[in-house]
Amino acid sequence: MSAVMITRKVRKWEKLPGKNTFCCDGRVMMARQKGIFYLTLFLIVGTCSLFFAFECPYLAVHLSPAIPVFAVLLFLFVMAMLLRTSFSDPGVLPRALPEEANFIEMEIEAANGNVPSGQRPPPRIRNVQINNQIVKLKYCYTCKIFRPPRASHCSICDNCVDRFDHHCPWVGNCVGKRNYRYFYLFTLTLSLLTIYIFAFNIVHVVMRSVDSGFLKTLKETPGTVLEMLVCFFTLWSMVGLTGFHTYLISLNQTTNEDIKGSWSGKNRGQNPYSHKNIIKNCCEVLCGPTYPSVLDRRGLMREDSPAFAASEGPCSLDNPVAQTTKTTAPLIPNEHTPDDVKPSIAASAEKSPSPKEDQSPAPKIPPLASPETDVETSIAKNH
Amino acid sequence: MSSFHNLQELRHSASLANKVFIQRDYSEGTTCRFQTKFPSELESRIERTLFEDTVKTLNNFYAEAEKIGGQSYLEGCLACATAYLIFLCMETRYEKVLKKIAKYIQEQNEKIYAPRGLLITDPIERGMRVIEISIYEDRGSSGSSSGSSSVSDSTAR
């Protein structure tokens, strides 16, 4: 059709804002700091390898071959849950495109009316009534959206995440709507695996000591001591964590809400998302529908809407990659404070309209109000 | 009022005048629902009942996708038993409904919205936050009749 061809397909994940790392051409999505995740992997794989090497041969012969078989199945399930939690999109909300951001700004300005100069504009909050409870939706200055209920902005990944639970460094990712059940199953099965290995370590040492004596047993199977050490410390934390999350699930609360005390205490009101029935709450969280990712990481970068591509026919083929990045480039890449945002908004507003847009070239962005200390980001930073 | 016979004509001869964003309705919780309030910018472009029908049908689709009942439990338990590997070969119920929604939106665009110079964007392309409706102005016409309110909006920006 045209002599100019696109030389390289750019996928959408390459242009996503936020501090995530992507692997396997966008199939895998993780946080930037992965060191602790590698430690988790090492501990689990290492301890299980020692178990299979030292204990399993003895136990399979002297007790039952079902013991290692069950251990293998449990280990595989734990790994599957860990990888699923770490590699999937937790429920990231994409940032608002310029037109949507402008629309919201205009609505806010209209709602605020005239603010006398020198005075701070009122905080950007929308009130919504859910199940006879007033819920406040806060405005996210980075993503330029009013956060849906239960969503929160993770400062480590620099994304708003739907039903944000917490950012877990052990799995190297945020835990949110889409991967909470995998995270919970991971903690549950890891607790079971730890208890299993710990129990059979004791059984193994006892059985061998009967034959050979305690110290000789420890010398023959040095791996046992290491395993028991790792299992002992892991056990308490994992069982505690599983218990805590079981409690949260039965109340249909997130870790974020629990820490902030959103639904506890007399003045705060009741949790409007809870079904007031433990079984219903558990079913909703664990057996609810599997939400799709709205990020479309592997889609190919193209013009935003067909109108843009077709309205300026020859133009669109000249340098397609450059134009696509312009139309879908984020308004604010990785900014932290609104003060930093103002000059970059003005700069990108002047750059962003390409010849095909017929709107006024430099949309006048009203100056952003400085937010109150954003409680959510500071709490997110703390854990 | 400008009239477009199909989407192709719309794209070739129209220019984008304005965009309206239909926000989410959170009154029933975090399930996906959009507000059925008729925006003032569309008053001169489309009948209120047609718009409300579209949004209500979309809301019904999303409610069907997110319904928690026998089928979702079965899907959840089966998937858990296979360590969620079954999703490598099977499509989830939500994904099936999303395909139906995409088809419905395309159909609505072709039959109802494009002839009136409007275009609906699938909410999934906007993070399921808004239904974006683009309002087009016929480039050929003087532009004074259609989208007079939208012209003033764009200059106000």
Side-chain angles (χ1 to χ4, degrees):
Chain A
M1 202 164 88
S2 156
V4 181
M5 298 295 285
I6 300 172
T7 49
R8 188 176 84 89
K9 285 183 195 166
V10 180
R11 293 206 187 258
K12 287 183 184 170
W13 65 263
E14 298 179 55
K15 299 293 169 199
L16 277 177
K19 296 183 193 162
N20 290 103
T21 328
F22 296 91
C23 308
C24 299
D25 200 18
R27 290 181 181 89
V28 165
M29 178 173 173
M30 291 181 75
R32 217 166 258 186
Q33 296 113 341
K34 300 184 277 292
I36 306 185
F37 167 68
Y38 293 137
L39 177 67
T40 310
L41 270 180
F42 174 73
L43 284 174
I44 297 175
V45 174
T47 311
C48 289
S49 313
L50 288 176
F51 182 70
F52 293 133
F54 289 106
E55 270 79 25
C56 282
Y58 184 88
L59 290 170
V61 168
H62 287 84
L63 269 186
S64 159
I67 295 172
V69 170
F70 189 69
V72 169
L73 290 175
L74 206 51
F75 167 71
L76 289 175
F77 197 83
V78 168
M79 290 306 292
M81 291 300 105
L82 172 64
L83 295 179
R84 192 128 189 155
T85 311
S86 304
F87 293 166
S88 57
D89 171 8
V92 171
L93 296 168
R95 300 193 183 182
L97 294 175
E99 293 110 352
E100 192 188 333
N102 284 346
F103 186 83
I104 296 178
E105 288 277 352
M106 289 200 310
E107 273 191 349
I108 294 172
E109 279 217 314
N112 285 347
N114 272 328
V115 179
S117 61
Q119 252 191 39
R120 232 188 197 176
R124 298 178 166 198
I125 290 183
R126 242 181 217 172
N127 286 322
V128 178
Q129 192 177 44
I130 302 177
N131 280 340
N132 298 323
Q133 181 77 33
I134 301 285
V135 174
K136 291 188 189 308
L137 304 186
K138 289 180 90 174
Y139 182 78
C140 182
Y141 286 89
T142 314
C143 303
K144 314 280 274 166
I145 57 169
F146 275 97
R147 285 183 209 129
R150 311 193 96 175
S152 189
H153 191 95
C154 175
S155 52
I156 303 173
C157 301
D158 204 23
N159 288 317
C160 269
V161 178
D162 209 353
R163 202 187 185 278
F164 180 71
D165 196 83
H166 66 286
H167 181 99
C168 185
W170 298 95
V171 304
N173 203 359
C174 285
V175 177
K177 182 166 80 168
R178 294 190 73 243
N179 63 355
Y180 185 61
R181 76 189 67 182
Y182 310 130
F183 174 76
Y184 178 71
L185 288 173
F186 167 64
T187 58
L188 183 66
T189 45
L190 187 60
S191 308
L192 293 175
L193 183 65
T194 314
I195 293 172
Y196 191 84
I197 292 182
F198 194 69
F200 280 106
N201 273 348
I202 295 176
V203 165
H204 168 253
V205 168
V206 164
M207 281 177 78
R208 267 224 172 140
S209 305
V210 166
D211 296 335
S212 343
F214 185 65
L215 285 173
K216 196 160 175 243
T217 306
L218 292 183
K219 269 190 232 168
E220 277 172 14
T221 55
T224 309
V225 182
L226 202 59
E227 284 170 59
M228 290 190 76
L229 213 64
V230 172
C231 284
F232 183 74
F233 290 111
T234 312
L235 199 80
W236 297 115
S237 42
M238 289 315 295
V239 171
L241 192 63
T242 308
F244 175 61
H245 279 283
T246 311
Y247 161 76
L248 287 181
I249 288 177
S250 63
L251 292 178
N252 202 337
Q253 263 191 28
T254 63
T255 308
N256 200 29
E257 286 165 356
D258 188 69
I259 287 180
K260 288 201 283 190
S262 308
W263 314 120
S264 57
K266 288 183 219 166
N267 300 332
R268 299 296 200 118
Q270 297 203 315
N271 185 354
Y273 312 108
S274 168
H275 297 280
K276 315 281 184 230
N277 179 334
I278 291 181
I279 298 187
K280 266 195 176 173
N281 284 339
C282 291
C283 286
E284 186 194 307
V285 176
L286 298 176
C287 300
T290 36
Y291 297 94
S293 170
V294 295
L295 273 189
D296 191 22
R297 311 188 288 279
R298 289 183 40 80
L300 291 172
M301 291 285 285
R302 52 176 188 82
E303 311 306 320
D304 258 347
S305 83
F308 288 127
S311 61
E312 292 273 343
C315 254
S316 62
L317 292 175
D318 280 342
N319 43 353
V321 175
Q323 286 180 342
T324 52
T325 51
K326 261 193 246 173
T327 48
T328 56
L331 195 57
I332 304 164
N334 296 330
E335 295 294 345
H336 294 291
T337 62
D339 293 334
D340 295 342
V341 151
K342 286 183 234 178
S344 76
I345 286 179
S348 62
E350 278 147 37
K351 273 191 287 176
S352 66
S354 43
K356 26 193 198 327
E357 277 194 34
D358 287 306
Q359 300 170 12
S360 53
K364 183 173 177 299
I365 313 275
L368 294 179
S370 54
E372 328 299 311
T373 31
D374 196 341
V375 180
E376 284 169 86
T377 42
S378 62
I379 286 179
K381 276 189 194 140
N382 289 342
H383 65 91
Chain B
M1 185 141 106
S2 50
S3 69
F4 298 95
H5 298 294
N6 54 28
L7 278 175
Q8 297 288 357
E9 208 182 284
L10 178 74
R11 288 169 202 165
H12 286 296
S13 57
S15 63
L16 185 67
N18 198 5
K19 285 188 183 185
V20 181
F21 297 91
I22 313 297
Q23 305 285 332
R24 280 273 291 269
D25 173 15
Y26 294 115
S27 59
E28 291 182 18
T30 48
T31 50
C32 188
R33 250 184 90 83
F34 290 96
Q35 291 179 359
T36 48
K37 190 175 74 111
F38 189 59
S40 53
E41 290 93 336
L42 296 180
E43 252 160 40
S44 56
R45 304 298 288 244
I46 190 170
E47 293 81 5
R48 178 186 288 258
T49 45
L50 285 174
F51 168 81
E52 282 179 1
D53 272 343
T54 309
V55 180
K56 281 188 187 151
T57 313
L58 284 177
N59 285 343
N60 287 338
F61 272 127
Y62 286 118
E64 181 197 326
E66 296 189 7
K67 199 169 69 141
I68 302 172
Q71 205 189 350
S72 76
Y73 293 156
L74 200 65
E75 197 184 43
C77 291
L78 181 71
C80 182
T82 61
Y84 296 95
L85 293 171
I86 201 169
F87 288 145
L88 293 172
C89 26
M90 191 181 91
E91 210 179 40
T92 67
R93 188 161 66 121
Y94 212 114
E95 285 167 355
K96 288 187 190 140
V97 177
L98 285 177
K99 286 197 173 151
K100 278 200 245 176
I101 289 174
K103 216 168 127 185
Y104 173 75
I105 288 180
Q106 195 188 6
E107 205 184 277
Q108 290 279 296
N109 272 336
E110 279 171 9
K111 289 190 195 153
I112 299 178
Y113 289 82
R116 291 170 172 75
L118 302 170
L119 197 70
I120 303 182
T121 308
D122 196 333
I124 195 124
E125 293 177 30
R126 298 291 177 260
M128 305 264 269
R129 275 195 315 265
V130 287
I131 303 177
E132 184 183 295
I133 302 183
S134 311
I135 303 175
Y136 289 91
E137 223 178 274
D138 187 9
R139 221 190 253 163
S141 75
S142 57
S144 55
S145 55
S146 62
S148 52
S149 59
S150 47
V151 167
S152 61
D153 277 348
S154 56
T155 49
R157 278 203 241 157

